Amino acid sequence: MTVQPTVALLGTGTMGAGMARNIAAAGLPLRVWNRTAERAEPLAGVATVAGSVAEAVDGADVVLTMLYDADSVAATMEEARGKLGADAIWLQQSTVGIAGTERLARLADELGVAFVDAPVLGTKKPAADGALVVLASGPQQVRDRLAPVLDAIGSRTMWVGEAGAGSRLKLAANAWVFTVVEGVAESLALTRDLGLDPRLFLEAVQGGALDAPYVQLKGGAMLDGSFDPAFALSGALKDAELILEAGRSAGLDLAALPGIREHFARAVEAGHGDLDMAATYLEH
């Protein structure tokens, strides 16, 4: 691999578009592809927009997947079969859970490429700002070769073990994110239904040990009705189900997540799935 690897980024949605712009800004040759082609076209000024997966990955040093779930990632990489270079690295950054990661690792073996499992912490704005935290896991021998890509998309990279460890840590982190979001929604709803201005809850915790920037950010969005998706509720529901699946596989009794999953599902069923996950508040 050259000092500046050629990158094929597959999936230019909410996260992938910002990541693509930062990879290009770092001076790395970039091809992009998206199943809905119009979503890739705005990147034409900084990247080569490929008409097919095969075209995107042909000759690429790093193939980065940022797609919705394990099924979409697997289907996309099947389209790359026969076009991947012998030294190519598959940088899998979608949130697909434990079983999904194992499935994709097996596919990587079939395709004959090195597999790095590297989901990220952060949503739309950190992706656009190049400020994601990368939870990377995979073979030691490819880590230095991935550094230019990971440095472009993130503020820091944690290497946490063999492939699969990154996805396990991502589930634990998302469990905390969802607990905070749902906890804020419930506290606001309780304040409201006890006859008070719900903003009093945010004011009461502000600046103290119980506060966090995320509490104020999501709480303010809930009360302002500002639900431009940084992390869509439908995706949060998908990830909540992955967390519950992981807990069951580990024999762990997760107390909060089943209720959080039900509240997310209720909001999705009410038609809020394309809104930010803060829209769970709308069904409280």
Side-chain angles (χ1 to χ4, degrees):
M1 184 178 291
T2 61
V3 173
Q4 292 192 319
T6 296
V7 181
L9 188 149
L10 310 179
T12 60
T14 299
M15 299 290 288
M19 294 164 71
R21 291 189 184 280
N22 285 306
I23 291 169
L28 307 184
L30 177 65
R31 299 93 167 265
V32 296
W33 171 89
N34 197 71
R35 191 168 300 280
T36 305
E38 308 87 76
R39 298 195 70 176
E41 287 300 331
L43 296 167
V46 298
T48 299
V49 178
S52 68
V53 172
E55 180 185 340
V57 306
D58 191 9
D61 300 305
V62 176
V63 177
L64 189 164
T65 47
M66 180 52 83
L67 299 156
Y68 182 70
D69 58 12
D71 286 344
S72 59
V73 175
T76 296
M77 289 303 289
E78 283 290 352
E79 295 181 38
R81 191 179 289 272
K83 292 295 184 179
L84 295 161
D87 293 329
I89 302 169
W90 178 4
L91 181 60
Q92 206 304 104
Q93 302 206 270
S94 319
T95 302
V96 299
I98 295 174
T101 298
E102 292 172 350
R103 171 186 172 190
L104 298 178
R106 291 192 297 270
L107 177 57
D109 285 341
E110 291 178 23
L111 296 173
V113 293
F115 180 74
V116 174
D117 162 48
V120 299
L121 299 184
T123 53
K124 182 178 181 179
K125 188 176 189 304
D129 292 346
L132 298 168
V133 176
V134 182
L135 308 179
S137 56
Q140 181 73 40
Q141 62 269 26
V142 304
R143 296 180 184 182
D144 288 346
R145 295 194 285 158
L146 282 175
V149 181
L150 299 180
D151 289 348
I153 65 174
S155 58
R156 64 187 171 108
T157 297
M158 296 174 59
W159 284 99
V160 297
E162 296 302 312
S167 281
R168 294 195 294 274
L169 183 56
K170 174 64 186 291
L171 295 178
N174 272 10
W176 174 240
V177 171
F178 299 162
T179 299
V180 173
V181 168
E182 187 63 28
V184 170
E186 292 200 349
S187 289
L188 291 175
L190 185 60
T191 306
R192 178 197 66 207
D193 290 356
L194 290 177
L196 301 171
D197 180 348
R199 292 189 186 274
L200 289 172
F201 163 72
L202 296 179
E203 183 179 344
V205 302
Q206 189 170 25
L210 300 177
D211 197 15
Y214 207 63
V215 170
Q216 299 295 329
L217 176 69
K218 290 302 182 185
M222 292 172 189
L223 296 180
D224 293 341
S226 178
F227 301 122
D228 182 44
F231 188 165
L233 188 58
S234 58
L237 174 59
K238 181 262 294 182
D239 288 2
E241 290 171 345
L242 293 175
I243 294 165
L244 289 171
E245 179 183 316
R248 287 191 295 269
S249 71
L252 182 62
D253 180 18
L254 295 174
L257 263 296
I260 292 171
R261 185 264 169 209
E262 291 305 313
H263 282 188
F264 284 2
R266 181 173 65 192
V268 169
E269 289 164 7
H272 308 311
D274 291 338
L275 302 180
D276 187 77
M277 61 180 168
T280 183
Y281 179 66
L282 295 174
E283 296 305 312
H284 282 67

